[in-house]
Amino acid sequence: MSVTREKILELGEELILTKGYNGFSYQDISTAMGIKNAAVHYYFPSKETLGTSILKTNVQRFEEMVENMQNRNFDEWHQLESFMKIYLKSNRENKICLIGSLGTDINTLNDPMRVELQKMVDRIVSWLESILLSGKEKGLFEFSISAHDQALQILSSLIAGLQLARILNKSEFKNIHQSIWEEITPQNKK
Amino acid sequence: MSVTREKILELGEELILTKGYNGFSYQDISTAMGIKNAAVHYYFPSKETLGTSILKTNVQRFEEMVENMQNRNFDEWHQLESFMKIYLKSNRENKICLIGSLGTDINTLNDPMRVELQKMVDRIVSWLESILLSGKEKGLFEFSISAHDQALQILSSLIAGLQLARILNKSEFKNIHQSIWEEITPQNKK
DNA sequence: ACAAATATACTTACTAATAAGTAAAATCAA
DNA sequence: TTGATTTTACTTATTAGTAAGTATATTTGT
């Protein structure tokens, strides 16, 4: 694989997470890389092919992380912790997440991008749901609503947590992160 | 006040909530209203003055709602319910909320817009916090984390709930809305 | 082994469309 | 008639996208 192509994907993702999909241009990528805008079009003919590739790369990265955690026999608690660490890192870097960013622009995206975005979110929600369910059976987690709803609840907190932290104060995300754990950890009875 | 001006504000807000701040143009507004793009510039010289005005209008609308609820002696439970109804309506209309939309684009906004956005979120969070706190004292709500963190938690769920619902399925928001109530309503012991 | 053909990775130099924004003239309403 | 409103007719900048060319490898046929 071309290193230029990889770098474009990386930069494109970063730009979506910092400036939003409609807030960056091929010029932003090309000038940052010291190449010409046509070179970006060489690898990704349209902005939407770039967007779709970024989404596919992300799903792949997610699947690799899940597989890696299973190979290492991570329990559900540690799997969830690893997932949440991604968001802690994004917060440190003043980024939001792909879901929150593209969720804003969804009506301006073409079908392939929308389909890929939906696939990605579907996959993450169903993984979260399964982790929560089996973790609950083992007594690692405790919650009264359905695993699906609890998954949506946690994911929402993470997504909007990053957005709120960027508007208000970076450090507010720590509180949101903390609250998620307190809500599903058994030792904290209400 | 000019009815044209009001209509521009209304349409501008709708466009931010459906296509995102960087996803709409003055052309979108003018063609939808059957006027020329220069007429929009007459009322709002720049896109950022329009954005700032939309935010200020929203804060004002929020303050009016709060005042109205206090005049009618709404208890904390009904005040929270009224607030959440705004989000239910947005979900029905396939809109997200200003916070989630502008949270994505924040790095592309000018200072006045950023300041106004922060003011708006600050105001909403502190209101939510106060409602949660006095509601808890009356036994209307129950939660173990701080009122501030609980406010952030609820607001996050609402903001990202709308985004997730638009990506996945409109009806998913009902589950998120339901989960918020179950979490803070005393009768549902865990 | 060596030349010819071909593929890779770009640049140069453009479009065509759309963006925000403006100056000045025309229209409207009291 | 005066001031508020709106259009006409622009400008300037930026956007995504493309056509054609170029240098450098890589492959292929003989």
PDB file of all heavy atoms in Angstrom, chain A residues 142-163:
ATOM      1  N   GLU A 142     -23.746  -3.987  36.188  1.00  0.00           N
ATOM      2  CA  GLU A 142     -25.092  -4.020  36.741  1.00  0.00           C
ATOM      3  C   GLU A 142     -25.917  -2.891  36.134  1.00  0.00           C
ATOM      4  O   GLU A 142     -25.501  -1.735  36.157  1.00  0.00           O
ATOM      5  CB  GLU A 142     -25.023  -3.849  38.265  1.00  0.00           C
ATOM      6  CG  GLU A 142     -26.326  -4.164  38.953  1.00  0.00           C
ATOM      7  CD  GLU A 142     -26.172  -4.095  40.477  1.00  0.00           C
ATOM      8  OE1 GLU A 142     -26.299  -2.988  41.026  1.00  0.00           O
ATOM      9  OE2 GLU A 142     -25.906  -5.140  41.087  1.00  0.00           O
ATOM     10  N   PHE A 143     -27.037  -3.246  35.527  1.00  0.00           N
ATOM     11  CA  PHE A 143     -27.953  -2.221  34.998  1.00  0.00           C
ATOM     12  C   PHE A 143     -29.327  -2.850  34.836  1.00  0.00           C
ATOM     13  O   PHE A 143     -29.455  -4.074  34.687  1.00  0.00           O
ATOM     14  CB  PHE A 143     -27.436  -1.666  33.661  1.00  0.00           C
ATOM     15  CG  PHE A 143     -27.035  -2.708  32.653  1.00  0.00           C
ATOM     16  CD1 PHE A 143     -27.972  -3.227  31.772  1.00  0.00           C
ATOM     17  CD2 PHE A 143     -25.725  -3.170  32.583  1.00  0.00           C
ATOM     18  CE1 PHE A 143     -27.599  -4.187  30.836  1.00  0.00           C
ATOM     19  CE2 PHE A 143     -25.350  -4.138  31.658  1.00  0.00           C
ATOM     20  CZ  PHE A 143     -26.289  -4.655  30.785  1.00  0.00           C
ATOM     21  N   SER A 144     -30.358  -1.996  34.883  1.00  0.00           N
ATOM     22  CA  SER A 144     -31.722  -2.529  34.889  1.00  0.00           C
ATOM     23  C   SER A 144     -32.401  -2.463  33.518  1.00  0.00           C
ATOM     24  O   SER A 144     -33.297  -3.244  33.235  1.00  0.00           O
ATOM     25  CB  SER A 144     -32.564  -1.760  35.911  1.00  0.00           C
ATOM     26  OG  SER A 144     -32.508  -0.380  35.637  1.00  0.00           O
ATOM     27  N   ILE A 145     -31.966  -1.516  32.663  1.00  0.00           N
ATOM     28  CA  ILE A 145     -32.561  -1.428  31.321  1.00  0.00           C
ATOM     29  C   ILE A 145     -31.976  -2.529  30.436  1.00  0.00           C
ATOM     30  O   ILE A 145     -31.091  -3.256  30.863  1.00  0.00           O
ATOM     31  CB  ILE A 145     -32.338  -0.023  30.695  1.00  0.00           C
ATOM     32  CG1 ILE A 145     -30.841   0.304  30.641  1.00  0.00           C
ATOM     33  CG2 ILE A 145     -33.103   1.018  31.501  1.00  0.00           C
ATOM     34  CD1 ILE A 145     -30.540   1.673  30.055  1.00  0.00           C
ATOM     35  N   SER A 146     -32.462  -2.648  29.221  1.00  0.00           N
ATOM     36  CA  SER A 146     -31.950  -3.675  28.311  1.00  0.00           C
ATOM     37  C   SER A 146     -30.506  -3.379  27.924  1.00  0.00           C
ATOM     38  O   SER A 146     -30.062  -2.229  27.977  1.00  0.00           O
ATOM     39  CB  SER A 146     -32.821  -3.735  27.053  1.00  0.00           C
ATOM     40  OG  SER A 146     -32.580  -2.601  26.242  1.00  0.00           O
ATOM     41  N   ALA A 147     -29.788  -4.422  27.545  1.00  0.00           N
ATOM     42  CA  ALA A 147     -28.391  -4.243  27.150  1.00  0.00           C
ATOM     43  C   ALA A 147     -28.303  -3.307  25.938  1.00  0.00           C
ATOM     44  O   ALA A 147     -27.387  -2.492  25.837  1.00  0.00           O
ATOM     45  CB  ALA A 147     -27.747  -5.588  26.822  1.00  0.00           C
ATOM     46  N   HIS A 148     -29.264  -3.424  25.046  1.00  0.00           N
ATOM     47  CA  HIS A 148     -29.285  -2.555  23.873  1.00  0.00           C
ATOM     48  C   HIS A 148     -29.420  -1.088  24.291  1.00  0.00           C
ATOM     49  O   HIS A 148     -28.656  -0.231  23.822  1.00  0.00           O
ATOM     50  CB  HIS A 148     -30.445  -2.944  22.954  1.00  0.00           C
ATOM     51  CG  HIS A 148     -30.582  -2.068  21.751  1.00  0.00           C
ATOM     52  ND1 HIS A 148     -29.716  -2.130  20.680  1.00  0.00           N
ATOM     53  CD2 HIS A 148     -31.472  -1.087  21.450  1.00  0.00           C
ATOM     54  CE1 HIS A 148     -30.068  -1.236  19.790  1.00  0.00           C
ATOM     55  NE2 HIS A 148     -31.130  -0.591  20.217  1.00  0.00           N
ATOM     56  N   ASP A 149     -30.367  -0.817  25.149  1.00  0.00           N
ATOM     57  CA  ASP A 149     -30.566   0.562  25.602  1.00  0.00           C
ATOM     58  C   ASP A 149     -29.368   1.070  26.392  1.00  0.00           C
ATOM     59  O   ASP A 149     -28.994   2.240  26.281  1.00  0.00           O
ATOM     60  CB  ASP A 149     -31.847   0.667  26.433  1.00  0.00           C
ATOM     61  CG  ASP A 149     -33.091   0.528  25.559  1.00  0.00           C
ATOM     62  OD1 ASP A 149     -32.933   0.497  24.321  1.00  0.00           O
ATOM     63  OD2 ASP A 149     -34.197   0.444  26.104  1.00  0.00           O
ATOM     64  N   GLN A 150     -28.789   0.187  27.204  1.00  0.00           N
ATOM     65  CA  GLN A 150     -27.613   0.596  27.972  1.00  0.00           C
ATOM     66  C   GLN A 150     -26.444   0.903  27.032  1.00  0.00           C
ATOM     67  O   GLN A 150     -25.685   1.838  27.255  1.00  0.00           O
ATOM     68  CB  GLN A 150     -27.225  -0.489  28.977  1.00  0.00           C
ATOM     69  CG  GLN A 150     -26.118  -0.080  29.938  1.00  0.00           C
ATOM     70  CD  GLN A 150     -26.522   1.081  30.840  1.00  0.00           C
ATOM     71  OE1 GLN A 150     -27.536   1.020  31.535  1.00  0.00           O
ATOM     72  NE2 GLN A 150     -25.761   2.164  30.806  1.00  0.00           N
ATOM     73  N   ALA A 151     -26.342   0.126  25.954  1.00  0.00           N
ATOM     74  CA  ALA A 151     -25.298   0.378  24.954  1.00  0.00           C
ATOM     75  C   ALA A 151     -25.501   1.751  24.315  1.00  0.00           C
ATOM     76  O   ALA A 151     -24.551   2.536  24.174  1.00  0.00           O
ATOM     77  CB  ALA A 151     -25.319  -0.710  23.885  1.00  0.00           C
ATOM     78  N   LEU A 152     -26.734   2.045  23.939  1.00  0.00           N
ATOM     79  CA  LEU A 152     -27.040   3.353  23.350  1.00  0.00           C
ATOM     80  C   LEU A 152     -26.730   4.477  24.330  1.00  0.00           C
ATOM     81  O   LEU A 152     -26.189   5.525  23.957  1.00  0.00           O
ATOM     82  CB  LEU A 152     -28.525   3.432  22.958  1.00  0.00           C
ATOM     83  CG  LEU A 152     -28.969   2.625  21.743  1.00  0.00           C
ATOM     84  CD1 LEU A 152     -30.471   2.785  21.533  1.00  0.00           C
ATOM     85  CD2 LEU A 152     -28.228   3.069  20.484  1.00  0.00           C
ATOM     86  N   GLN A 153     -27.065   4.241  25.579  1.00  0.00           N
ATOM     87  CA  GLN A 153     -26.837   5.231  26.620  1.00  0.00           C
ATOM     88  C   GLN A 153     -25.349   5.554  26.770  1.00  0.00           C
ATOM     89  O   GLN A 153     -24.957   6.719  26.814  1.00  0.00           O
ATOM     90  CB  GLN A 153     -27.391   4.667  27.936  1.00  0.00           C
ATOM     91  CG  GLN A 153     -27.723   5.687  28.983  1.00  0.00           C
ATOM     92  CD  GLN A 153     -28.947   6.505  28.604  1.00  0.00           C
ATOM     93  OE1 GLN A 153     -29.755   6.088  27.783  1.00  0.00           O
ATOM     94  NE2 GLN A 153     -29.056   7.682  29.170  1.00  0.00           N
ATOM     95  N   ILE A 154     -24.543   4.509  26.833  1.00  0.00           N
ATOM     96  CA  ILE A 154     -23.099   4.694  26.990  1.00  0.00           C
ATOM     97  C   ILE A 154     -22.499   5.367  25.758  1.00  0.00           C
ATOM     98  O   ILE A 154     -21.729   6.322  25.866  1.00  0.00           O
ATOM     99  CB  ILE A 154     -22.404   3.338  27.257  1.00  0.00           C
ATOM    100  CG1 ILE A 154     -22.784   2.843  28.656  1.00  0.00           C
ATOM    101  CG2 ILE A 154     -20.891   3.453  27.112  1.00  0.00           C
ATOM    102  CD1 ILE A 154     -22.288   1.446  28.976  1.00  0.00           C
ATOM    103  N   LEU A 155     -22.877   4.882  24.600  1.00  0.00           N
ATOM    104  CA  LEU A 155     -22.345   5.457  23.359  1.00  0.00           C
ATOM    105  C   LEU A 155     -22.730   6.936  23.229  1.00  0.00           C
ATOM    106  O   LEU A 155     -21.901   7.778  22.864  1.00  0.00           O
ATOM    107  CB  LEU A 155     -22.839   4.661  22.146  1.00  0.00           C
ATOM    108  CG  LEU A 155     -22.163   4.973  20.813  1.00  0.00           C
ATOM    109  CD1 LEU A 155     -20.655   4.774  20.884  1.00  0.00           C
ATOM    110  CD2 LEU A 155     -22.750   4.121  19.696  1.00  0.00           C
ATOM    111  N   SER A 156     -23.973   7.257  23.563  1.00  0.00           N
ATOM    112  CA  SER A 156     -24.415   8.660  23.525  1.00  0.00           C
ATOM    113  C   SER A 156     -23.566   9.528  24.438  1.00  0.00           C
ATOM    114  O   SER A 156     -23.145  10.619  24.061  1.00  0.00           O
ATOM    115  CB  SER A 156     -25.878   8.778  23.971  1.00  0.00           C
ATOM    116  OG  SER A 156     -26.718   8.139  23.064  1.00  0.00           O
ATOM    117  N   SER A 157     -23.338   9.038  25.633  1.00  0.00           N
ATOM    118  CA  SER A 157     -22.544   9.815  26.590  1.00  0.00           C
ATOM    119  C   SER A 157     -21.153  10.093  26.051  1.00  0.00           C
ATOM    120  O   SER A 157     -20.624  11.196  26.204  1.00  0.00           O
ATOM    121  CB  SER A 157     -22.428   9.065  27.913  1.00  0.00           C
ATOM    122  OG  SER A 157     -23.700   8.939  28.504  1.00  0.00           O
ATOM    123  N   LEU A 158     -20.568   9.089  25.413  1.00  0.00           N
ATOM    124  CA  LEU A 158     -19.215   9.256  24.882  1.00  0.00           C
ATOM    125  C   LEU A 158     -19.194  10.230  23.711  1.00  0.00           C
ATOM    126  O   LEU A 158     -18.359  11.134  23.650  1.00  0.00           O
ATOM    127  CB  LEU A 158     -18.655   7.894  24.449  1.00  0.00           C
ATOM    128  CG  LEU A 158     -18.383   6.891  25.573  1.00  0.00           C
ATOM    129  CD1 LEU A 158     -18.042   5.519  25.005  1.00  0.00           C
ATOM    130  CD2 LEU A 158     -17.266   7.379  26.494  1.00  0.00           C
ATOM    131  N   ILE A 159     -20.118  10.049  22.784  1.00  0.00           N
ATOM    132  CA  ILE A 159     -20.175  10.898  21.591  1.00  0.00           C
ATOM    133  C   ILE A 159     -20.382  12.364  21.965  1.00  0.00           C
ATOM    134  O   ILE A 159     -19.595  13.237  21.613  1.00  0.00           O
ATOM    135  CB  ILE A 159     -21.317  10.454  20.654  1.00  0.00           C
ATOM    136  CG1 ILE A 159     -21.046   9.060  20.090  1.00  0.00           C
ATOM    137  CG2 ILE A 159     -21.534  11.463  19.527  1.00  0.00           C
ATOM    138  CD1 ILE A 159     -22.249   8.429  19.402  1.00  0.00           C
ATOM    139  N   ALA A 160     -21.470  12.624  22.688  1.00  0.00           N
ATOM    140  CA  ALA A 160     -21.779  14.012  23.030  1.00  0.00           C
ATOM    141  C   ALA A 160     -20.845  14.534  24.098  1.00  0.00           C
ATOM    142  O   ALA A 160     -20.617  15.745  24.201  1.00  0.00           O
ATOM    143  CB  ALA A 160     -23.225  14.133  23.472  1.00  0.00           C
ATOM    144  N   GLY A 161     -20.292  13.635  24.893  1.00  0.00           N
ATOM    145  CA  GLY A 161     -19.317  14.048  25.897  1.00  0.00           C
ATOM    146  C   GLY A 161     -18.150  14.766  25.250  1.00  0.00           C
ATOM    147  O   GLY A 161     -17.713  15.825  25.722  1.00  0.00           O
ATOM    148  N   LEU A 162     -17.664  14.235  24.149  1.00  0.00           N
ATOM    149  CA  LEU A 162     -16.548  14.877  23.433  1.00  0.00           C
ATOM    150  C   LEU A 162     -16.955  16.235  22.887  1.00  0.00           C
ATOM    151  O   LEU A 162     -16.183  17.197  22.915  1.00  0.00           O
ATOM    152  CB  LEU A 162     -16.065  13.974  22.289  1.00  0.00           C
ATOM    153  CG  LEU A 162     -15.328  12.681  22.668  1.00  0.00           C
ATOM    154  CD1 LEU A 162     -14.936  11.922  21.419  1.00  0.00           C
ATOM    155  CD2 LEU A 162     -14.103  12.979  23.521  1.00  0.00           C
ATOM    156  N   GLN A 163     -18.182  16.304  22.375  1.00  0.00           N
ATOM    157  CA  GLN A 163     -18.658  17.575  21.816  1.00  0.00           C
ATOM    158  C   GLN A 163     -18.811  18.631  22.904  1.00  0.00           C
ATOM    159  O   GLN A 163     -18.382  19.782  22.737  1.00  0.00           O
ATOM    160  CB  GLN A 163     -19.979  17.352  21.073  1.00  0.00           C
ATOM    161  CG  GLN A 163     -19.810  16.478  19.834  1.00  0.00           C
ATOM    162  CD  GLN A 163     -21.111  16.175  19.130  1.00  0.00           C
ATOM    163  OE1 GLN A 163     -22.149  16.014  19.773  1.00  0.00           O
ATOM    164  NE2 GLN A 163     -21.065  16.063  17.817  1.00  0.00           N
TER     165      GLN A 163
END
